[in-house]
Amino acid sequence: MRAQHHFAPGDHRDRDLYSRERVLKSAIIAADIGRGWEEYLEIFYAFYDDNVEVTVDPETAPIRGKERIRALLFNFLAPLHVMVEIGGLAIHVRESPIHGDAADETHSAWSVNLVGVSGRTCALNWCTLRKWADSRVVYERHYDHQQSGGPLTGDDLSLNPSQATPGHGRPS
């Protein structure tokens, strides 16, 4: 007896999944933290399910729900925005797809390079697994975190405290 296998040359749902994933990744990469953190929160609300579950590492419990994750995103994005806008930090985001073999999930490798005004850099790399249901991300896991260079310090930003002392700045 022979096993019969039926392979569809490209399921319509798969095309939709990868199209949604491409749009999400493009939006994340095109967003500019120098303009503010709101653009990233809009992306989060547009693509993620209300009951999304996010796991960052195996030792911590998953975080569930948009509101809890929104607070964490804000606490991460607001300082980055300040360091870009005031401190002169440059941020470069890259993504590469990782081909997987499970339906309704995608994998990608991310790289964020932080470049201070001093020229010193810190590179953060990690991988992301996303599971989708319909048009929303319902699960996201970040894994294989790596850092090279850094951490950046105040000396790597243009945050000169002498400019904030009395007598410096605008004339009276």
Side-chain angles (χ1 to χ4, degrees):
M1 183 172 187
R2 285 181 28 165
Q4 290 185 330
H5 298 283
H6 300 280
F7 297 103
D11 189 330
H12 178 65
R13 288 179 353 157
D14 289 345
R15 284 193 306 269
D16 289 347
L17 168 70
Y18 293 112
S19 294
R20 289 189 304 270
E21 180 75 9
R22 273 192 308 277
V23 171
L24 171 57
K25 291 175 188 178
S26 295
I28 292 169
I29 291 168
D32 181 358
I33 192 67
R35 290 190 299 251
W37 59 85
E38 297 86 359
E39 192 173 359
Y40 289 96
L41 293 178
E42 288 173 14
I43 293 166
F44 175 66
Y45 275 99
F47 285 91
Y48 288 76
D49 188 75
D50 288 341
N51 298 310
V52 63
E53 179 180 309
V54 174
T55 304
V56 177
D57 65 51
E59 290 84 40
T60 60
I63 304 161
R64 290 184 180 90
K66 262 188 184 171
E67 289 310 310
R68 289 189 64 209
I69 296 167
R70 181 197 173 282
L72 293 171
L73 278 173
F74 176 79
N75 289 337
F76 174 75
L77 294 170
L80 277 179
H81 167 69
V82 170
M83 287 187 281
V84 168
E85 185 176 25
I86 297 172
L89 182 71
I91 299 177
H92 306 282
V93 180
R94 289 187 319 256
E95 177 276 334
S96 300
I98 300 171
H99 299 286
D101 59 358
D104 294 333
E105 73 179 41
T106 59
H107 295 261
S108 53
W110 290 86
S111 177
V112 175
N113 290 319
L114 308 172
V115 183
V117 294
S118 65
R120 191 167 170 208
T121 64
C122 177
L124 307 171
N125 300 290
W126 71 94
C127 295
T128 300
L129 156 71
R130 285 194 188 97
K131 292 186 181 181
W132 293 77
D134 298 321
S135 62
R136 303 280 183 184
V137 175
V138 294
Y139 176 80
E140 186 169 283
R141 180 171 66 98
H142 299 254
Y143 61 97
D144 196 20
H145 298 90
Q146 299 172 7
Q147 177 179 330
S148 59
L152 301 180
T153 68
D155 294 338
D156 300 309
L157 303 172
S158 61
L159 303 173
N160 189 344
S162 66
Q163 295 174 346
T165 59
H168 292 82
R170 291 186 294 189
S172 358

